[in-house]
Amino acid sequence: MQLGLEPSWIALKDEELLHLRICDLGVRIENSELQPRVDQLNEELGARNVVLRPDVYLGDEWFSPEGVPSIAMPFYLAHPRLKALELHQMMEVEGGTPEWCQMLLRHECGHAMDHAYRFSSRKDWHAVFGSPETEYAPETYTPRPYSRSFVQHLPNWYAQAHPDEDFAETFALWLSSPPEAWRERYRGWKALEKLEFVHSLMQEAANHPPAVTRGRRISEARKLRTTLARYYAARRKLWAEDFPDFYDADLRAIFGDPVPGAEPAAKMMQRHRRALITSIVQWTGQRKYTVSMLVRRLAERCRKLNLTAPPDTVRLHFELASYLASLVTNHLYTGRFKRSV
């Protein structure tokens, strides 16, 4: 992509753009809206006397390569047209706002710091955050929303996903606010011990060069030969349950064809919402907020589909409760209401 010139593919329709390979897009961080984000990260690091400046490049998603002091940002953030495609394909753009992007950059910088200084190999790190050998399953962890042992930075209590994520989240919060702010915010929390530990690690690192300074760029966008169509097909399969239409077939089977004049299915679910949640929580042991989220999601989908409640309410209640219980039980063991299809 030539500097100062818009790429020719911005005028393509989505179905035409999807035929292009990622490596042929020619997107770069330089001269894009991402450059100020990276500059801000480096300024924040400098303000905290952090020596390391992670290598930041465009990849296929947000991550820091294992053992490498680098940060990969998803390529679609480098151009508004690609962000629009991402929104159409995935219904959201992760890191699409300046604030969200900066939060994710700080988080991944935490991983890069660990990779550079190998903090997680130390016994004192293990004593504070736990063993990095803990099974890593960030999509299947069961968070404790009211725990005071973890900082709250990214959504969904992500610090609780794994000790590595706990460190990265703690670092991100440490980097984003001065000591007096996080000490006041987390006073009385066990998480404050983690913030103080990260503070001491960063003071130590200020006087020592990192053990690792470079490494291979994994999944670099300019080398990815897959087409955008295949890229999104894989991601949509992975995150299938997050799409509104994922439950449509099941809901239509439960409620049947819409009947003129019948009570809307969404209204019926709302009317029995408390009883449904109470019974499912009692018999599955799942947390109430998780069940409530699922019921709310399904009711909203029923409303969009204009489904109605059939006259046989006894059968309907049995089927609906059984369906919800099966989804919640699967969530207990997999962290997802339904497997990808």
Side-chain angles (χ1 to χ4, degrees), residues 52-64:
L52 180 71
R53 298 295 183 273
D55 170 41
V56 184
Y57 66 95
L58 294 178
D60 58 351
E61 60 177 330
W62 285 98
F63 68 98
S64 177

Side-chain angles (χ1 to χ4, degrees), residues 43-57:
E43 290 172 4
E44 292 174 350
L45 291 170
R48 297 288 187 275
N49 296 318
V50 177
V51 176
L52 180 71
R53 298 295 183 273
D55 170 41
V56 184
Y57 66 95

